[in-house]
Amino acid sequence: MFCNQCQETLNNQGCTTKGVCGKSSVVSDLQDLLIYLLEGISLLLNEESSTEILKKYGPFMTNALFTTITNANFSEESILNYIEEAVKIKKELLEKYKPTVDKNLDDIASWLPQSKNDIYIKASDINNSFREIDDVVSLKNLILYGIKGLSAYTDHAHVLGFEDINIYKFIIKGLTSVIKENNIDKLLELVLETGETAVKAMELLDRANTTSFGHPEITNVNIGVGNKPGILISGHDLLDLYELLEQTKDEDIHIYTHCEMLPAHYYPKLKAYKHLYGNYGSSWWKQSKEFETFNGVILMTTNCITPVKDSYKNRIFTTGAAGYPGVNHIKDREKGKQKDFSEIINLAKKCPPPTPIEDGFITGGFAHNQVLQLKDKIIEALEKGKIKKFVVMAGCDGRQKKREYYTDIAKSLPNDTVILTAGCAKYRYNKLKLDDIDGIPRVLDAGQCNDSYSLALIALKLKEIFNLTDINELPIAYDIAWYEQKAVTVLLALLYLGVKDIILGPTLPGFINSNITNIIAEKFNLKPINTVEKDLQYITQ
């Protein structure tokens, strides 16, 4: 295998025998083949495809891309199902467009398997050009991984009934360019176009979430436990949570969120369910320990799932883009119906209540609508010098000890700074006692990594309020933590919006070579994290 798409990739170069995440070489090869097939589908389609065609195939492409991101799907059987569907689509397209298919297209557009064994042979034979980290491959990596991330956002929105045909068009263009384009300048342009499309995808998802569940509100979330059996829901899919809440509202069960599902408590339509009891545990990488002590049933809706331990394997389920070998998978909803969660509900009733691991409350719900309602108070605090700087500390968490840097930064920031956060990176500091500034908490949690659009919109609105010509004139610093491909997408979105002076860590992406890193660093003044002391000086200057 060769996989270098996440921040923890081996030696910051690439995993070659087994993923640091736990992904097997077989699953890795099958995911590579799935991407290869999606590239072939893109070659058979084009940006000028009709709306009808794009609506027919676009949702499958985004969902399939989603399932290849880090810590989403470890199931060989599941990826094979995606491959078989991709092959079916290619057959349809080859039949439909056969007279116009370019005769010079290689077998990316024409290969079709005769047997399942044929699929495994092809998967193991997919080229390892990603090992060659030259300028062209580096840029193609950046585009492909950005497309994976924005596909995740697009898939979440589609589940809620929202889509944007222009996003599908770009995905087709981007995947086609990954195959056919070798011009450095054009690929650099495409990197920023990936960022532009990322903004569209994040806006689409924000609209889908707020239309479906209301605008997030400031909310105190219980981190203790009750005395009833529980179901713990992790991942990112709010519709799954809503349907689970609806199906358990008359049951003697508590529903708890975990990791990136914490912000579900901020949405009015979701927090109206009184049996949505609280949030259990913290970041995704601690789940093996926290899932043991939870005692009840666990539902993984999307990423991030880690290797499942035998101690809770009989009470964990996956659904949507998530999958794990030997773990029961809840089927997708039929059109016009909810997913059927009866199996996990019935099992949960037989489980003991969760073991307490902490108590108290944490506060969140500071998405763009809520923050802008506080704008007069924030402007007053800025004008009086009580707030001198906002620090965007959004992104991903991870298990590396080096990530203690983000806790130390949060502890060390002056009392006149406010942290803006989204994503699971917040678990490095969201339970610290950092007080407030005239009633404004010093950690403002906008929500999931899916909600990073809020942070961009807040910055753009402040730029408008203060009548500035450049977003970089705002008193905002960026100290971003990344782990997987959605974070790559957010980074590209920030670069497209013109944000400069971003500090990125805990390492720079291993899938980009030094030359391309230097080009991006020079254009946007992107920096790797340094020591806490040096970065504090840079942030607060």
Side-chain angles (χ1 to χ4, degrees):
M1 66 178 286
F2 184 75
C3 183
N4 62 0
Q5 66 180 3
C6 85
Q7 186 273 318
E8 288 185 349
T9 192
L10 189 64
N11 297 324
N12 208 37
Q13 294 178 348
C15 296
T16 56
T17 54
K18 182 179 181 180
V20 170
C21 64
K23 181 170 62 176
S24 72
S25 61
V26 173
V27 169
S28 179
D29 285 348
L30 290 173
Q31 289 182 348
D32 287 345
L33 177 55
L34 179 57
I35 295 296
Y36 183 87
L37 287 163
L38 294 172
E39 290 166 343
I41 290 171
S42 294
L43 288 168
L44 290 166
L45 294 169
N46 60 70
E47 294 175 75
E48 305 306 317
S49 295
S50 68
T51 297
E52 181 184 2
I53 291 292
L54 291 170
K55 284 191 171 186
K56 181 177 181 180
Y57 298 119
F60 169 76
M61 294 183 69
T62 54
N63 185 248
L65 285 160
F66 189 0
T67 204
T68 68
I69 70 172
T70 305
N71 285 345
N73 201 325
F74 294 81
S75 171
E76 186 178 322
E77 179 183 0
S78 177
I79 304 300
L80 279 169
N81 289 336
Y82 280 98
I83 287 172
E84 289 171 355
E85 180 63 22
V87 168
K88 177 183 173 183
I89 291 171
K90 285 186 69 175
K91 286 180 178 178
E92 291 177 6
L93 293 173
L94 282 166
E95 185 64 30
K96 186 176 180 65
Y97 297 119
K98 194 172 184 180
T100 59
V101 172
D102 185 343
K103 299 299 183 184
N104 293 321
L105 290 178
D106 61 19
D107 66 348
I108 288 173
S110 62
W111 171 76
L112 296 173
Q114 302 303 312
S115 67
K116 186 166 286 190
N117 187 52
D118 205 12
I119 291 176
Y120 283 98
I121 292 171
K122 189 64 178 178
S124 63
D125 191 44
I126 290 294
N127 71 77
N128 282 325
S129 61
F130 290 112
R131 293 174 186 266
E132 304 165 14
I133 310 299
D134 60 14
D135 292 355
V136 169
V137 173
S138 291
L139 290 170
K140 289 184 176 184
N141 282 337
L142 192 52
I143 293 162
L144 175 59
Y145 299 155
I147 287 173
K148 285 189 179 192
L150 69 88
S151 292
Y153 298 135
T154 306
D155 183 71
H156 278 300
H158 182 264
V159 166
L160 292 169
F162 290 74
E163 61 184 344
D164 182 343
I165 298 302
N166 291 318
I167 295 175
Y168 297 149
K169 287 183 177 181
F170 173 75
I171 289 171
I172 290 167
K173 176 182 178 179
L175 292 180
T176 300
S177 297
V178 167
I179 294 300
K180 300 181 74 173
E181 185 60 71
N182 293 305
N183 180 281
I184 295 288
D185 291 334
K186 289 183 178 179
L187 288 170
L188 281 167
E189 290 175 4
L190 199 63
V191 166
L192 287 184
E193 192 174 348
T194 307
E196 179 182 13
T197 309
V199 174
K200 294 177 182 177
M202 289 191 291
E203 186 280 330
L204 178 70
L205 179 55
D206 178 80
R207 183 155 37 93
N209 284 339
T210 55
T211 301
S212 301
F213 306 112
H215 282 282
E217 303 169 341
I218 299 173
T219 306
N220 293 320
V221 182
N222 188 359
I223 57 175
V225 300
N227 59 2
K228 296 180 180 181
I231 297 174
L232 184 65
I233 183 167
S234 193
H236 304 74
D237 197 297
L238 297 180
L239 183 58
D240 284 340
L241 173 58
Y242 170 73
E243 292 178 354
L244 179 63
L245 288 167
E246 185 64 21
Q247 292 174 39
T248 54
K249 63 184 179 182
D250 297 321
E251 305 287 351
D252 200 26
I253 291 174
H254 284 150
I255 306 298
Y256 295 81
T257 57
H258 176 263
C259 193
E260 283 277 60
M261 288 298 284
L262 163 65
H265 293 271
Y266 312 155
Y267 288 91
K269 190 171 181 177
L270 298 177
K271 72 178 188 176
Y273 288 91
K274 301 304 181 185
H275 65 299
L276 180 59
Y277 190 87
N279 188 75
Y280 190 86
S282 52
S283 187
W284 62 271
W285 60 275
K286 294 183 178 180
Q287 65 187 246
S288 62
K289 181 178 179 180
E290 293 170 350
F291 287 0
E292 282 187 324
T293 58
F294 182 72
N295 301 329
V297 176
I298 303 121
L299 176 64
M300 297 299 305
T301 62
T302 53
N303 66 317
C304 304
I305 186 171
T306 65
V308 175
K309 295 171 71 171
D310 289 340
S311 56
Y312 56 85
K313 196 168 188 176
N314 64 337
R315 53 185 175 87
I316 185 171
F317 295 75
T318 59
T319 192
Y324 197 86
V327 169
N328 289 333
H329 188 80
I330 303 297
K331 293 179 180 179
D332 288 339
R333 57 187 63 80
E334 296 178 13
K335 190 172 183 180
K337 296 182 179 180
Q338 294 189 356
K339 285 184 182 177
D340 181 4
F341 291 120
S342 58
E343 184 179 3
I344 67 174
I345 294 169
N346 291 333
L347 178 58
K349 293 176 183 178
K350 303 173 185 176
C351 295
T355 301
I357 54 175
E358 58 188 342
D359 57 26
F361 293 85
I362 48 178
T363 303
F366 296 93
H368 58 87
N369 187 68
Q370 182 68 82
V371 171
L372 292 176
Q373 288 182 24
L374 300 172
K375 68 178 186 301
D376 291 342
K377 197 171 187 178
I378 292 171
I379 291 169
E380 182 182 2
L382 283 166
E383 289 175 342
K384 289 183 176 180
K386 293 184 177 181
I387 296 178
K388 291 187 178 177
K389 202 95 172 192
F390 291 98
V391 184
V392 175
M393 291 177 64
C396 310
D397 194 16
R399 64 199 120 211
Q400 293 173 326
K401 185 174 177 58
K402 193 172 184 179
R403 287 179 181 266
E404 292 175 2
Y405 159 94
Y406 295 101
T407 305
D408 294 338
I409 283 282
K411 287 179 177 178
S412 304
L413 284 169
N415 290 333
D416 55 12
T417 57
V418 173
I419 296 170
L420 300 174
T421 191
C424 58
K426 63 174 158 277
Y427 283 105
R428 288 287 172 175
Y429 41 79
N430 68 339
K431 297 172 185 177
L432 298 176
K433 303 298 182 184
L434 297 180
D435 299 323
D436 61 76
I437 300 173
D438 287 351
I440 300 170
R442 289 193 53 229
V443 177
L444 302 183
D445 175 22
Q448 299 178 344
C449 57
N450 294 4
D451 300 312
S452 297
Y453 175 74
S454 270
L455 303 183
L457 190 59
I458 290 167
L460 292 171
K461 287 293 184 182
L462 286 174
K463 174 186 166 217
E464 180 184 316
I465 289 169
F466 288 107
N467 197 27
L468 301 174
T469 57
D470 187 342
I471 196 171
N472 296 293
E473 296 176 42
L474 288 166
I476 301 178
Y478 295 81
D479 195 352
I480 306 294
W482 82 282
Y483 178 77
E484 42 89 281
Q485 296 77 67
K486 286 187 288 182
V488 173
T489 299
V490 173
L491 175 64
L492 295 183
L494 291 174
L495 298 184
Y496 164 73
L497 292 171
V499 176
K500 296 183 178 180
D501 304 320
I502 297 171
I503 302 172
L504 184 67
T507 60
L508 294 181
F511 55 79
I512 308 177
N513 71 356
S514 58
N515 188 42
I516 297 301
T517 299
N518 290 338
I519 290 173
I520 295 172
E522 183 177 348
K523 183 176 178 62
F524 296 99
N525 202 24
L526 183 71
K527 300 177 183 294
I529 64 169
N530 205 314
T531 64
V532 170
E533 293 73 23
K534 288 184 178 179
D535 285 346
L536 276 172
Q537 290 179 357
Y538 184 73
I539 288 168
T540 57
Q541 65 184 1

